[in-house]
Amino acid sequence: MASNHKPSAARPVSRGGIGLTGRPPSGVRPPSGNIRVATGMPPGTARPGSRSGPIGTGGVLSSQIKVADRPVTQQGLSGMKTGMKGPQRQILDKSYYLGLLRSKISELTTEINKLQKEIEMYNQENSVYLSYEKRAETLAVEIKEFQGQLADYNMLVDKLNTNTEMEEVMNDYNMLKAQNDRETQSMDIIFTERQAKEKQIRSVEEEIEQEKQAADGIIKNMSPEKQVKYMEMKTTNEKLLQELDTLQQELDSLNMKKESLEAEIAHSQVKQEAVLLHEKLYELESHRDQMIAEDKSMGSPMEERERLLKQVKEDNQEIASMERQLTDIREKINQFNEEIRQLDMDLEEHQGEMNQKYKELKKREESMDTFIETFEETKNQELERKAQLEAHIVALLEHCSRNINRMKQISSITNQELKMMQDDLNFKSTEMQKSQSTARNLTSEFCILKHNCLGVLHKGLWTCKCILNAVNVQLTLN
C-alpha cells in the first residue's frame, strides 16, 4: 500500500467477526500515532501471520482460532494467492479449487458419457454393417441366379420370336445338360484329386517332420566333435545355398544384360561390325598361336627326317605283324568254316526239324556276335558324340562369355579406337597370310622329303626281298 494512507470510515469485519488488528468497528482511529510501536508499519497494515494486535489492545486473542475459521483477507494468511484485478474472484481459496475441480469432473463425466454413446453407436453400426454385408452376399447370389434365369428367359423369347422348333430347343437343352454333366464329373474328379493331393502332402509333411525328429535324435546322440562338425557343415551348406542363389541371380542378370546388348547390337550397324571384327580378330589370334606352337614343336630338317624314318620303320613293323595276324586269322576262319560246313552237312543228313532250330539259333548267335563285336565301336562312337556335344556346349558358353566381355568393351569404343583396331586387324591378317604361305612351303618340302624317303625305303625293301628269295632258293637247292 502507499504511505499516505487516508483514514477510512470503517474497517471491514472478517469472517470471524474480529478485525485483524483488533481495532473497534467504530470507524474512529485510536488515539495512538500513525506509526505502530511494535512493528513500525503504517496503520491499516499487519504483519502476515501475526496474531497479536497493537500495543495496549490486550495482547494475544483469548479465543482459539482454527485455520479453517481464520479470516482470509488481502493481508491474511501467508502463501495465499490473491486474484487478479477485475470482475473475477479476488481470493482463490479451497472452495474455489473444489468448485473448479467439480466443474472439470463434470466435464470429464459428460465427455466420457459422450464417448460411451459414440462407442455404442459404432458397435451398433458395426453389427448392422455385418448383417448388411451378409445380406448383400445372399442378395448377390440371388441376383446371379435371377440373372441366369433372365438369360434363359431371354433365350426362350428369342427362340419364340425366331419360330424355332421345339426339337431344336430340346436338342440344345440336352446338349447343355450333357455338357453340364461332363463339367460336374470333371469337377468331382478334380475335387477328389485335390483331396488326394492334400492327403499326400500331409503325409509327406508328416514324414518330413518324422525325418527331422529322427535327424535331431541322431544329432543329439552324436559325439560333441561330430555335432560341431555337423553344425559347421550345415553352416557351409547354408552359405553355399546363399552363394548359389546369388550366382543364379547374377546369371539371370547377365542373361538379361546379354539380351539387351544383343538387342542394341541388332539396332546398331556399327556395333555389329565391331562384333564381327572382334570375332575375326579372335580367330586370327588363335590361329596364329596355333601356328606358333606348331612351329615351335617342329625341329630341324634332319631331326624331322630321322623322326619320319623311325615312324616309317615302326609303321612297317606294325603292318607286317598285322599281316601275319591277318593270315593266321584267315586260316582259322577258313578252318572254322570248313568245320561248320561239315557240321551242317552232318546235321542235314541226320536231323530234319532240328536243323531249322539250329539255323535260327545260329542266326541269333551271329546277330549276338555282331552286336558284341560292334558294341565297343558303337560305344566309342556314342562317347565321342557325347564328348563333341560337351565340347560344343563349352565352346558356346565361352562364346557367350566372350560376347558379353566384348559388349562391355564395345560400349566404351570410339571411332578412333575402332579405326586402330581395323588397322591392327589388317596387319595381323597380312602376317597370317605370310605365315600361311611359309606353312604351305614347309608342307610341300615335307611332302617331297617324305616321298624321297619312301622311295628309298621301297628300294631297300625290294633289295631285301630279293636277297631273301635268293637265300630261300639256295636253301632249297641244298
Side-chain angles (χ1 to χ4, degrees):
M1 290 184 177
S3 61
N4 297 324
H5 180 71
K6 294 181 180 180
S8 59
R11 180 76 176 174
V13 182
S14 64
R15 294 180 182 178
I18 301 170
L20 289 176
T21 56
R23 287 182 297 177
S26 59
V28 180
R29 297 177 68 85
S32 60
N34 291 330
I35 302 301
R36 295 175 68 184
V37 175
T39 59
M41 297 179 73
T45 61
R47 186 166 33 183
S50 65
R51 295 182 180 178
S52 60
I55 296 172
T57 58
V60 180
L61 294 173
S62 61
S63 63
Q64 293 180 357
I65 298 171
K66 296 181 181 180
V67 176
D69 297 333
R70 187 166 182 172
V72 179
T73 60
Q74 192 171 0
Q75 294 83 18
L77 291 172
S78 63
M80 295 295 290
K81 294 181 180 179
T82 58
M84 296 175 66
K85 292 181 179 181
Q88 290 112 351
R89 185 177 178 123
Q90 296 294 323
I91 305 300
L92 303 178
D93 56 352
K94 182 179 178 181
S95 61
Y96 170 75
Y97 286 110
L98 288 171
L100 184 64
L101 186 61
R102 289 192 189 93
S103 64
K104 294 295 181 183
I105 289 168
S106 63
E107 289 177 1
L108 286 171
T109 52
T110 53
E111 189 68 24
I112 288 165
N113 293 325
K114 184 179 179 182
L115 290 172
Q116 286 179 353
K117 288 179 181 178
E118 288 180 357
I119 288 165
E120 290 175 357
M121 184 175 67
Y122 288 149
N123 290 326
Q124 290 177 0
E125 289 179 356
N126 192 9
S127 62
V128 171
Y129 173 75
L130 292 172
S131 63
Y132 284 161
E133 189 175 2
K134 291 180 181 178
R135 189 177 177 186
E137 290 176 357
T138 55
L139 290 173
V141 174
E142 291 179 359
I143 287 165
K144 286 182 180 179
E145 292 178 356
F146 290 144
Q147 285 177 351
Q149 292 178 5
L150 180 62
D152 295 334
Y153 290 144
N154 287 328
M155 185 175 69
L156 184 60
V157 169
D158 292 334
K159 296 288 185 183
L160 292 172
N161 291 328
T162 55
N163 294 322
T164 306
E165 296 293 334
M166 190 66 185
E167 292 179 358
E168 293 182 2
V169 175
M170 292 301 294
N171 290 326
D172 293 335
Y173 168 74
N174 292 323
M175 184 175 67
L176 291 171
K177 187 177 180 182
Q179 186 177 359
N180 289 327
D181 293 335
R182 287 195 299 273
E183 288 180 354
T184 52
Q185 288 177 0
S186 64
M187 287 175 69
D188 293 334
I189 292 165
I190 290 165
F191 182 71
T192 54
E193 288 179 354
R194 180 183 174 185
Q195 286 182 345
K197 292 290 183 184
E198 288 177 353
K199 188 176 179 181
Q200 188 176 1
I201 288 164
R202 285 195 295 272
S203 63
V204 170
E205 288 177 352
E206 289 176 357
E207 289 177 359
I208 290 166
E209 190 66 28
Q210 290 176 1
E211 292 294 332
K212 284 182 179 179
Q213 291 177 1
D216 292 333
I218 291 166
I219 291 162
K220 288 178 181 178
N221 293 325
M222 286 181 181
S223 61
E225 295 177 356
K226 289 184 179 180
Q227 287 182 0
V228 171
K229 190 175 180 181
Y230 173 76
M231 294 304 293
E232 289 177 355
M233 293 174 73
K234 188 175 180 181
T235 52
T236 53
N237 186 18
E238 291 176 355
K239 288 179 181 178
L240 290 172
L241 289 172
Q242 291 177 0
E243 290 178 359
L244 181 63
D245 293 333
T246 54
L247 291 172
Q248 187 66 35
Q249 291 176 2
E250 289 178 0
L251 181 61
D252 295 334
S253 63
L254 288 172
N255 287 326
M256 292 173 66
K257 193 172 182 181
K258 177 188 171 186
E259 291 176 357
S260 63
L261 291 171
E262 286 178 353
E264 290 179 1
I265 290 165
H267 292 296
S268 177
Q269 188 68 26
V270 177
K271 290 183 179 179
Q272 290 178 2
E273 292 177 357
V275 170
L276 293 173
L277 290 171
H278 268 287
E279 291 178 354
K280 194 172 180 182
L281 180 63
Y282 178 75
E283 290 176 358
L284 291 171
E285 286 178 352
S286 61
H287 190 63
R288 182 198 64 189
D289 296 335
Q290 186 178 1
M291 291 178 71
I292 289 167
E294 289 177 357
D295 192 9
K296 287 180 180 178
S297 64
M298 289 175 68
S300 62
M302 294 300 293
E303 291 177 354
E304 290 292 326
R305 184 172 177 275
E306 290 177 357
R307 187 174 64 79
L308 289 170
L309 288 171
K310 187 177 180 181
Q311 188 175 0
V312 168
K313 288 179 182 179
E314 291 176 356
D315 292 338
N316 289 326
Q317 290 177 0
E318 288 179 359
I319 289 165
S321 64
M322 289 173 74
E323 285 178 354
R324 286 194 296 271
Q325 291 176 3
L326 185 61
T327 53
D328 294 335
I329 290 165
R330 282 176 181 173
E331 288 176 357
K332 288 180 181 180
I333 288 167
N334 292 325
Q335 185 179 357
F336 288 140
N337 287 326
E338 288 292 332
E339 291 178 358
I340 288 164
R341 280 197 294 271
Q342 188 66 33
L343 288 171
D344 289 334
M345 289 172 69
D346 294 336
L347 287 169
E348 286 176 358
E349 289 176 359
H350 296 287
Q351 293 180 355
E353 293 179 358
M354 296 295 290
N355 191 11
Q356 187 68 28
K357 293 181 180 179
Y358 171 73
K359 287 182 179 179
E360 290 177 358
L361 290 170
K362 185 180 177 182
K363 288 180 181 178
R364 189 177 293 174
E365 185 180 1
E366 288 177 355
S367 63
M368 290 173 71
D369 291 334
T370 53
F371 175 74
I372 291 165
E373 288 175 358
T374 58
F375 175 75
E376 293 293 333
E377 186 177 357
T378 54
K379 180 182 176 182
N380 293 325
Q381 288 177 0
E382 292 295 328
L383 289 172
E384 288 176 359
R385 184 167 172 272
K386 181 183 176 184
Q388 288 176 0
L389 289 171
E390 289 176 354
H392 185 63
I393 290 165
V394 172
L396 288 173
L397 290 171
E398 290 177 354
H399 185 66
C400 291
S401 62
R402 286 198 299 272
N403 284 331
I404 291 166
N405 292 324
R406 286 169 188 163
M407 292 305 102
K408 291 179 180 177
Q409 294 175 1
I410 287 167
S411 60
S412 62
I413 288 174
T414 59
N415 292 324
Q416 188 176 1
E417 290 178 353
L418 186 62
K419 189 174 180 182
M420 290 172 68
M421 289 170 68
Q422 287 177 352
D423 295 335
D424 191 9
L425 180 62
N426 293 325
F427 175 74
K428 287 181 179 179
S429 61
T430 54
E431 291 294 327
M432 188 190 72
Q433 289 175 2
K434 290 179 182 179
S435 61
Q436 286 177 354
S437 63
T438 55
R440 283 195 294 271
N441 293 327
L442 289 171
T443 51
S444 62
E445 290 178 0
F446 173 74
C447 291
I448 292 164
L449 290 171
K450 186 177 180 181
H451 184 69
N452 293 329
C453 291
L454 289 172
V456 171
L457 288 170
H458 282 299
K459 286 179 182 179
L461 290 170
W462 185 71
T463 54
C464 289
K465 285 181 181 179
C466 291
I467 292 165
L468 289 170
N469 289 324
V471 171
N472 290 325
V473 170
Q474 188 69 30
L475 291 170
T476 54
L477 290 173
N478 291 328

